[in-house]
Amino acid sequence: MAGTGVTWLGTPAFPRAARGALADTQLRRNLRKATHTIRDKRAAAVAELADWERLRRAGAAIKDSVLANLDVHLERLEAAVTARGGVVHWARDADEANAIILRLVRAAGADEVVKVKSMATAEIGLNEALAEGGVRAVETDLAELIVQLGRDRPSHILVPAIHRNRAEIREIFRREMPSASPGLTDDPRELADAARHHLRLKFLSARVAVSGANFAVADTGSVVVVESEGNGRMCLTLPETLITVMGIEKVVPTWRDLEVFLQLLPRSSTAERMNPYTSVWTGVTPGDGPRQFHLVLLDNGRTDTLADEVGRQALRCIRCSACLNSCPVYERTGGQAYGSVYPGPIGAILTPQLLGDLSHPQPASLPYASSLCGACFEVCPVRIDIPRVLVHLRSRVVDARGGRSPEAAAMAALAWIMRDPGRFEAAQRAGSLARLLARQGRISRLPWPGSRWTSARDVPAPPRESFRAWWRRNRG
């Protein structure tokens, strides 16, 4: 299966979008407070486990084994789900997945669906596709609801409304919720009560629910959703029809494998020892829960990603968001600058591969949205070497441009200079003249093209004498 259809959020290339985000001081305050709080709590939760590194290595090994035998595990999953009364659908890309889901919703006679948070449905633009087909999608995860009511865009994998503070959320609720009290304050308890009242009627009247999936166990056909609010469980149990959209990489072979990830995920995401709500369902059970269960297995560029020996490790991702919370770039720009539903370091390596077009300016800019500090790799629970993949994708971007880039031209010129000792020494002598531009040992401004560098950083002043000249003078 191959095909792409990643939903873009209408932003320009990352550098331009980031400049706008950096100018928003309120956004930066919100992000700094939230990411530092989550980061510190995660560090404390992880420190409780003496075998954390062994768990990380086990998670990476399980994921790599699954990816190496993905076709086998997916066929086992399909057989197990079917044997327990479910129906499995295979979707090559976003268009195919959306068409399947819209057809199932219409067959159920529904014009509204409730949703439990699913990155995959955001990836394929399901809400927009349903709206075009006359079906309204209601987000039930609190943060997703805030984004939806505010006609906003998500900015975080785990906390999509992380860029909003309580006062902003209060104003959104007052404006968009008919049931919200005019006297609603920004007290968290009051905000949660307002959302609960708004959603309860939706839960009780919904005939169809759409969910994502954190994992699916191939042995038994069981699907797993972990969450913190309980709204997801209402979606998974009350409606007559349940449609789950799952990326094909989310399958795990056995319950024993699942055990590893149920230890890694909560500590890495919400800094908890275990998730408050872990919902597991297997097919259809007469008299209990939905009467129909449909599992949509989504490719949407994943098999193309799997073909890249370096880039495929991005498919290990369990969507914990630890890399976002540790990233200095994300902390300053937020998630909307990335232009995709997958922001931060993982989005910088996953989105360009799912899209499959590194000649497009927007995805081509994402591998450069990093300082390569390595903090993301240090916290990743499945040991995705994000800096390595970023460098790899940068080389693919250059290749996609046919090798024509200022960097490639500069490297070609440098290679020509360094091939000849005379040219190299002449270049050293010429370069040493740059010290005339230095102030207190540093150069803060250079003419173009050096200005592209000094606009963001200083350059140490070159020495008056090169090592080659010093050696000749002192050692003959």
Side-chain angles (χ1 to χ4, degrees):
M1 295 172 63
T4 57
V6 180
T7 297
W8 295 100
L9 302 179
T11 60
F14 182 83
R16 181 179 171 190
R19 280 194 289 272
L22 289 171
D24 188 336
T25 56
Q26 181 63 58
L27 171 68
R28 295 181 65 179
R29 280 195 295 269
N30 294 349
L31 287 169
R32 179 176 174 80
K33 179 179 179 180
T35 56
H36 279 247
T37 299
I38 299 172
R39 186 192 312 172
D40 293 344
K41 288 183 177 180
R42 176 209 163 272
V46 165
E48 295 177 349
L49 296 183
D51 62 345
W52 179 251
E53 187 58 29
R54 289 179 60 194
L55 277 172
R56 290 180 73 209
R57 292 184 181 276
I62 293 168
K63 281 289 188 177
D64 285 346
S65 177
V66 167
L67 294 174
N69 302 279
L70 189 57
D71 55 339
V72 174
H73 296 304
L74 288 173
E75 289 177 354
R76 290 176 56 229
L77 175 65
E78 180 184 28
V81 170
T82 303
R84 288 160 178 80
V87 180
V88 176
H89 308 263
W90 298 80
R92 292 182 178 86
D93 54 28
D95 290 341
E96 197 166 299
N98 289 332
I100 291 169
I101 297 165
L102 183 58
R103 172 170 53 81
L104 294 173
V105 173
R106 286 174 172 167
D111 59 7
E112 185 173 87
V113 301
V114 290
K115 291 178 61 192
V116 55
K117 187 168 72 171
S118 167
M119 298 296 292
T121 62
E123 174 189 325
I124 63 177
L126 177 62
N127 287 10
E128 294 76 12
L130 290 177
E132 290 178 5
V135 178
R136 171 174 166 75
V138 179
E139 300 289 353
T140 65
D141 174 86
L142 180 55
E144 293 281 5
L145 177 66
I146 293 166
V147 170
Q148 184 179 45
L149 292 179
R151 297 174 180 82
D152 201 354
R153 299 175 301 184
S155 61
H156 194 275
I157 288 177
L158 184 68
V159 193
I162 195 173
H163 56 291
R164 296 289 194 181
N165 60 31
R166 291 182 300 176
E168 292 171 317
I169 295 169
R170 176 196 61 201
E171 293 309 311
I172 291 172
F173 281 10
R174 282 178 172 176
R175 184 176 68 246
E176 301 295 335
M177 280 186 183
S179 59
S181 168
L184 182 67
T185 73
D186 63 0
D187 178 73
R189 185 183 295 274
E190 285 194 37
L191 295 174
D193 285 343
R196 183 180 297 112
H197 181 72
H198 172 77
L199 290 172
R200 188 57 54 94
L201 296 176
K202 301 293 184 182
F203 288 133
L204 295 176
S205 62
R207 301 176 65 180
V208 178
V210 178
S211 85
N214 292 97
F215 310 100
V217 183
D219 267 359
T220 59
S222 304
V223 182
V224 184
V225 165
V226 295
E227 41 133 1
S228 300
E229 299 169 9
N231 293 340
R233 187 161 293 177
M234 303 282 278
C235 285
L236 300 171
T237 56
L238 291 178
E240 297 178 357
T241 300
L242 172 61
I243 304 169
T244 296
V245 184
M246 186 187 91
I248 55 176
E249 80 281 12
K250 297 296 186 69
V251 63
V252 296
T254 69
W255 282 83
R256 186 172 183 178
D257 298 317
L258 177 64
E259 175 193 352
V260 173
F261 297 108
L262 291 183
Q263 295 180 75
L264 289 169
L265 181 56
R267 291 178 187 268
S268 296
S269 56
T270 55
E272 295 170 299
R273 296 182 179 93
M274 63 181 293
N275 288 96
Y277 294 90
T278 300
S279 300
V280 183
W281 67 98
T282 306
V284 176
T285 302
D288 183 14
R291 300 176 185 175
Q292 296 184 45
F293 170 56
H294 297 269
L295 176 62
V296 180
L297 295 175
L298 177 68
D299 184 332
N300 208 37
R302 286 162 174 79
T303 52
D304 290 338
T305 303
L306 187 60
D308 188 319
E309 292 186 1
V310 177
R312 70 175 58 151
Q313 59 185 293
L315 297 177
R316 293 181 196 163
C317 179
I318 58 175
R319 309 292 192 268
C320 69
S321 75
C323 62
L324 281 72
N325 301 326
S326 67
C327 177
V329 175
Y330 175 86
E331 180 187 319
R332 287 157 178 81
T333 65
Q336 294 181 354
Y338 292 81
S340 167
V341 296
Y342 300 116
I346 188 60
I349 66 171
L350 184 60
T351 298
Q353 296 190 90
L354 293 182
L355 186 69
D357 182 10
L358 287 172
S359 64
H360 190 287
Q362 217 288 345
S365 71
L366 294 181
Y368 297 90
S370 171
S371 65
L372 301 180
C373 67
C376 49
F377 173 64
E378 295 298 325
V379 299
C380 177
V382 287
R383 293 178 56 84
I384 302 172
D385 193 345
I386 293 179
R388 182 188 177 202
V389 181
L390 286 167
V391 173
H392 170 68
L393 291 177
R394 290 178 185 185
S395 70
R396 285 184 53 187
V397 170
V398 173
D399 291 342
R401 293 170 177 166
R404 297 183 300 273
S405 70
E407 183 181 12
M411 291 299 105
L414 183 61
W416 179 81
I417 290 171
M418 297 183 73
R419 276 196 297 267
D420 182 83
R423 290 196 294 261
F424 183 67
E425 189 166 359
Q428 284 186 316
R429 287 196 300 269
S432 69
L433 297 177
R435 70 181 184 277
L436 301 177
L437 302 174
R439 296 292 183 273
Q440 298 181 336
R442 307 193 73 79
I443 301 173
S444 299
R445 183 176 299 175
L446 283 172
W448 190 91
S451 58
R452 299 290 299 275
W453 179 275
T454 56
S455 64
R457 54 186 71 81
D458 292 339
V459 180
R464 181 181 300 272
E465 185 178 40
S466 70
F467 175 77
R468 182 186 294 261
W470 176 89
W471 183 271
R472 184 183 298 116
R473 181 168 55 80
N474 287 278
R475 301 294 176 90

